């Protein structure tokens, strides 16, 4: 019985390790440059919105249909605190803007959370290096 558990355990470890190899690695940040996209599908835009929403703790995020077509960065501000007349409290707000950058290594598109440095590969999306 102990031999059976040992063989079963070794098989499970091998399976886990083999499964881990199937995960695509995010390109090294040193190889990444700012990127643009010219043909962002609705599904790809939803993937980006979901990833940014996850970084915001689940808050729904809506992006323009042409996001990342003219700039490799997008800035998002949280709603200002409003009074009962729907005016910003004290005429201003202190909510910081959060920025996200689309990057590429020449073959993969990657989204970076500029506040945390987290990067996430966007599957099946094409983008080109931004001309500077």
């Amino acid at each position: 019985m102990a031999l059976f558990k040992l063989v079963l355990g070794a098989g499970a470890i091998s399976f886990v390790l083999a499964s881990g190899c199937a995960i695509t690695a995010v390109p090294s940040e040193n190889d990444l440059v700012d990127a643009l996209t010219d043909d962002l599908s609705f599904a790809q835009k939803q993937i980006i919105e979901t990833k940014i929403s996850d970084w915001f703790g689940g808050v729904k995020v809506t992006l323009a249909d042409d996001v990342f077509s003219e700039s490799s960065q997008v800035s998002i501000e949280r709603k200002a605190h409003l009074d009962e007349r729907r005016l910003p409290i004290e005429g201003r707000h202190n909510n910081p803007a959060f920025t996200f950058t689309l990057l590429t290594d020449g073959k993969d598109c990657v989204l970076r959370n500029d506040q945390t440095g987290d990067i996430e590969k966007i599957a099946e999306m094409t983008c080109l290096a931004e001309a500077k």
Side-chain angles (χ1 to χ4, degrees):
M1 186 66 171
L3 181 60
F4 176 74
K5 287 182 181 180
L6 180 64
V7 171
L8 183 62
I13 291 171
S14 298
F15 177 76
V16 169
L17 291 175
S19 298
C21 294
I23 297 171
T24 55
V26 175
S28 168
E29 187 128 18
N30 295 335
D31 299 330
L32 298 173
V33 296
D34 291 356
L36 298 175
T37 184
D38 61 352
D39 189 22
L40 188 65
S41 72
F42 180 75
Q44 291 165 335
K45 187 180 91 127
Q46 283 187 316
I47 290 169
I48 294 170
E49 287 175 343
T50 300
K51 186 62 214 163
I52 292 174
S53 175
D54 291 347
W55 280 330
F56 271 129
V59 175
K60 183 171 174 19
V61 172
T62 303
L63 300 173
D65 290 338
D66 63 349
V67 68
F68 298 123
S69 66
E70 294 182 19
S71 173
S72 62
Q73 278 194 334
V74 64
S75 296
I76 299 175
E77 291 185 10
R78 293 185 185 230
K79 280 185 167 180
H81 297 287
L82 305 176
D83 64 13
E84 62 277 351
R85 297 176 298 162
R86 308 217 14 97
L87 297 171
I89 295 175
E90 297 179 22
R92 63 175 193 255
H93 67 81
N94 60 355
N95 298 331
F98 295 90
T99 58
F100 304 90
T101 304
L102 186 67
L103 304 163
T104 186
D105 65 353
K107 61 179 181 167
D108 294 317
C109 293
V110 175
L111 184 64
R112 179 179 65 206
N113 179 334
D114 294 335
Q115 286 62 239
T116 64
D118 291 344
I119 55 176
E120 182 84 21
K121 183 176 167 184
I122 308 298
E124 298 184 27
M125 183 172 155
T126 58
C127 54
L128 302 168
E130 182 178 27
K132 296 239 175 179

